[in-house]
């Protein structure tokens, strides 16, 4: 269990000095009240269903995670050894909170949960993921998603 | 992650995200972000604590109702260790496994001892995350041993040798960690890693492979 503050100074400096993309604009999409929104999760934990294609070192695409995926059908092929998998091993929801979202939908605190969710493999350079991310946005709109929850690992 | 938020929001879908590295998020300035003070690998804080996870989730979703941004909000609640944490002991005793013996033999003996506990862990949780390499755990061990002593078993089709070693490593670790945590009670990832690398043949194998790379 490592937080940024727990890393050695050299590791912390290396992580903080990783190049970050910059954007000249700040997009902002207005929307409905939360209780009317349809929510999808986008993870960068390298998640996929057990039979799906694994991620590789240079994977810039995403995998589709059905909303009704069973916990035992979900694995990760994230290539970073630093990713502590012990929490995911114990409880999927600490990484991909689909059960928690369904509970909020049942209580009408959100409108609904999307039929499909998605995962990238976060060790890939963000610029390389851009084409797949744009394509993914189109899929979200087809699924009537108006709120995407992005979750790192 | 913040870059993905920029792209997806630009395409017309509102986003909110969890941030684990505040400094990166502050530089990239995605539309809405909630920084959480949790360890890497635990963006919703605590496994098997639905109430805690829900509080984090709702805090992130509530950012969607803000009128303007970009927003980078700090989540104020830490994820404490449970009261029963401490004094963890692996339920498996390797007293009869010869630590100085042949690595392949010691690993096989260890895995035989771990297997009933892994079965119990799978039954308790109803799942396993072993499966990145897509091979049975005995083949995973054989694959890793072959990378050390040769001749190297080739990676599965479509997978590079480097990725296969990474996936096999994570599968072997997951097998040990799942088995070691078959009994209820809290153990941290640090506890498990220290045990694996200090006390097991699997740890010796992984350390030897790392030294070769």
């Amino acid at each position: 269990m490592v937080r940024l503050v727990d890393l050695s100074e050299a590791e912390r400096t290396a992580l903080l000095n990783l190049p970050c993309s910059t954007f000249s604009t700040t997009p902002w999409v207005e929307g409905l009240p939360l209780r009317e929104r349809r929510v999808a999760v986008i993870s960068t934990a390298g998640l996929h269903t057990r039979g799906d294609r694994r991620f590789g070192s240079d994977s810039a695409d995403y995998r589709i995670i059905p909303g009704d995926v069973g916990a035992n059908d979900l694995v990760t092929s994230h290539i970073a050894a630093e990713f502590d998998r012990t929490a995911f091993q114990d409880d999927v929801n600490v990484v991909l909170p689909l059960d928690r979202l369904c509970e909020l939908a049942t209580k009408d605190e959100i409108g609904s949960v999307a039929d499909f969710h998605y995962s990238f493999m976060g060790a890939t350079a963000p610029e390389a993921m851009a084409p797949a991310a744009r394509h993914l946005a189109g899929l979200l709109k087809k699924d009537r998603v108006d709120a995407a929850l992005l979750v790192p690992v | 992650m913040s870059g993905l938020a920029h792209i997806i929001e630009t395409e017309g879908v509102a986003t909110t995200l969890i941030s684990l590295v505040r400094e990166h998020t502050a530089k990239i300035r995605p539309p809405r972000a909630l920084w959480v003070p949790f360890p890497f690998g635990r963006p919703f804080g605590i496994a098997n604590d639905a109430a805690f996870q829900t509080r984090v989730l709702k805090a992130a979703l509530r950012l969607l109702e803000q009128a303007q941004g970009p927003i980078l909000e700090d989540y104020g609640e830490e994820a404490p260790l449970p009261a029963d944490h401490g004094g963890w002991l692996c339920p498996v005793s390797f007293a009869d496994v010869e630590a100085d013996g042949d690595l392949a033999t010691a690993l096989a003996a260890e895995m035989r001892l771990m297997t009933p506990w892994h079965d119990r862990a799978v039954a308790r949780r109803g799942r396993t995350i072993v499966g990145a390499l897509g091979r049975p755990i005995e083949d995973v061990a054989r694959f890793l041993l072959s990378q050390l002593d040769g001749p190297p078993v080739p990676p599965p089709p479509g997978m590079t040798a480097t990725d296969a070693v990474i996936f096999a490593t994570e599968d072997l670790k997951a097998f040990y960690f799942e088995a070691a945590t078959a009994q209820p009670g809290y153990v941290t990832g640090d506890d498990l890693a220290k045990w694996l690398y200090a006390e097991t043949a699997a740890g010796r194998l992984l350390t030897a492979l790392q030294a070769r790379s």
Side-chain angles (χ1 to χ4, degrees), chain B:
Chain B
M1 183 50 81
S2 298
L4 287 177
H6 261 279
I7 294 165
I8 291 169
E9 187 115 4
T10 299
E11 295 295 317
V13 179
T15 61
T16 184
L17 69 86
I18 301 286
S19 164
L20 290 170
V21 182
R22 195 182 195 288
E23 291 81 353
H24 285 177
T25 308
K27 280 184 195 169
I28 302 172
R29 303 177 79 234
R32 304 166 198 81
L34 178 73
W35 173 76
V36 294
F38 310 145
F40 300 135
R42 297 161 191 259
F44 287 89
I46 307 175
N48 300 313
D49 188 335
F52 191 98
Q53 294 167 1
T54 299
R55 288 197 294 279
V56 179
L57 177 60
K58 287 168 76 168
L61 292 175
R62 271 198 296 268
L63 300 182
L64 291 159
E65 299 198 302
Q66 298 287 326
Q68 56 188 2
I71 305 163
L72 173 51
E73 186 172 294
D74 293 343
Y75 189 72
E77 186 180 8
E78 296 274 349
L81 292 176
D84 67 350
H85 171 249
W88 176 78
L89 290 172
C90 175
V92 184
S93 168
F94 297 141
D96 295 332
V97 176
E98 179 53 63
D100 297 327
D102 169 66
L103 183 58
T105 305
L107 182 65
E110 244 180 41
M111 291 178 68
R112 275 195 300 276
L113 291 171
M114 298 296 277
T115 295
W117 290 96
H118 190 260
D119 292 345
R120 180 173 172 163
V122 173
R124 182 163 75 85
R125 296 193 178 101
R127 61 188 283 259
T128 175
I129 66 167
V130 175
L133 191 71
R135 295 287 167 84
I137 195 64
E138 295 79 10
D139 290 354
V140 169
R142 204 168 296 121
F143 174 81
L144 287 172
L145 283 165
S146 80
Q147 306 306 309
L148 194 63
D149 294 332
V153 172
M159 192 183 292
T160 67
T162 303
D163 287 351
V165 169
I166 292 168
F167 296 152
T169 297
E170 292 306 326
D171 276 348
L172 189 66
K173 285 163 60 181
F175 174 80
Y176 271 69
F177 290 172
E178 287 178 347
T181 55
Q183 293 183 340
Y186 192 82
V187 56
T188 68
D190 277 350
D191 293 332
L192 290 169
K194 283 174 186 161
W195 161 74
L196 181 81
Y197 287 101
E199 299 182 27
T200 72
R204 283 195 282 143
L205 168 60
L206 299 182
T207 302
L209 283 169
Q210 200 168 22
R212 283 269 184 97
S213 63

Side-chain angles (χ1 to χ4, degrees), chain A residues 40-49 52-55 59-66 74-78 83 88 95-96 116-124 129 132 136 140 149-153, chain B residues 1 4:
Chain A
V41 184
I42 301 169
S43 165
T44 52
L47 304 173
H48 52 84
T49 55
D52 203 349
R53 289 170 300 132
R54 296 166 191 79
F55 288 100
S59 295
D61 53 353
Y62 56 81
R63 303 288 181 270
I64 300 169
I65 301 169
L74 205 54
V75 294
T76 174
S77 55
H78 199 295
F83 165 18
F88 172 61
V95 171
L96 189 77
F116 299 100
H117 307 272
Y118 304 89
S119 183
F120 289 85
M121 200 284 293
T124 304
M129 299 184 205
L136 173 54
L140 292 171
L149 171 66
L150 281 69
V151 183
V153 77
Chain B
M1 183 50 81
L4 287 177

Side-chain angles (χ1 to χ4, degrees), chain A residues 12-47:
Chain A
R12 189 165 52 246
T13 301
L15 179 65
L16 292 178
N17 286 339
L18 285 173
C20 291
S21 306
T22 55
F23 298 84
S24 56
T25 59
T26 302
W28 187 262
V29 177
E30 299 278 352
L32 298 167
L34 193 51
R35 65 179 182 280
E36 297 176 39
R37 299 247 192 168
R38 184 167 173 79
V39 183
V41 184
I42 301 169
S43 165
T44 52
L47 304 173

